Amino acid sequence: RGSLKLIKVLPPVHSIFLQKGSKVLRERGVDKGHVTFRFTGRFQEGRGIKEVITAFKRFRIKRPEARAKLIIDTFSEELETKEVFKFYGGDVHIVITNPIKRVKEGASSPRQVIEEIAYKYAYSSYVVLPYTRPVHITPSLTLLEALGAGGFVIATKNAASVLHRDVKKCTFIVDTQNVVEELVKAFEYLYEEYDSNFYWRIRDDAHKYAHNNFSYEKTIWALKAKLT
């Protein structure tokens, strides 16, 4: 009997994310006058929703003149999300969706849902993934898709540490131990860097990193290499 061989291959990023990334990078098509920080992910313990809201509120106190908003884009319709709504208002916007339910009910096709998510990653100023504990699936598919869409990702080490060290060149990493304080510093610094050459270089590097490591072609090639 032959021995079983365990092979780990990172999940591929759908080509729609890479296409959206190419388009926004080519056109530099973002809102020039308003900075959008977008949290995206399920409403679960350890995802850092409360931390990112707290940090953004502190940032707005320090920078009341800033033209910035935080969008909490969470995939849930559970009652526990009511706890977050006490923060709602002003520059904090909360969007609750359930794409899987929409597909099951025939309200949207899988492609429409992917297009919608890719658009959000590509056209948000920043994508924030402030995980306070390791996620069940590593690396986070949200992180890979955001990079694929050419998003400027602000992430804790819990979200990005499992990837190759090159991810640090195209992702703004914050300390998990002091996540609120670190996020406030990140918001202040990156608000000033928005639409700069540095900003677009990071986004371009993110897109290239995802394309070179997580496209279908690269994933299949890597799998074949490990099997031979």
Side-chain angles (χ1 to χ4, degrees), residues 9 11 36 41-42 59 61 99 103 109-110 123 133 136 145 170 173 204:
V9 177
T36 301
R42 296 184 182 277
F59 160 71
I61 291 172
V103 171
S109 68
Y123 287 91
R133 63 177 62 173
H136 296 300
E145 291 174 343
C170 59
I173 307 294
D204 186 59

Side-chain angles (χ1 to χ4, degrees), residues 33 35 39 43 50 68-69 72 81 92 98 123 126 129 150 157 159 167 169 191 211 220 224:
V35 176
F39 168 94
F43 187 95
K50 296 177 184 177
K69 60 184 176 181
I72 301 296
T81 57
V92 178
N98 192 327
Y123 287 91
Y126 298 97
L129 303 177
K157 296 176 181 178
V167 77
K169 300 177 182 178
Y191 178 79
H211 181 272
I220 293 174
K224 287 182 178 179

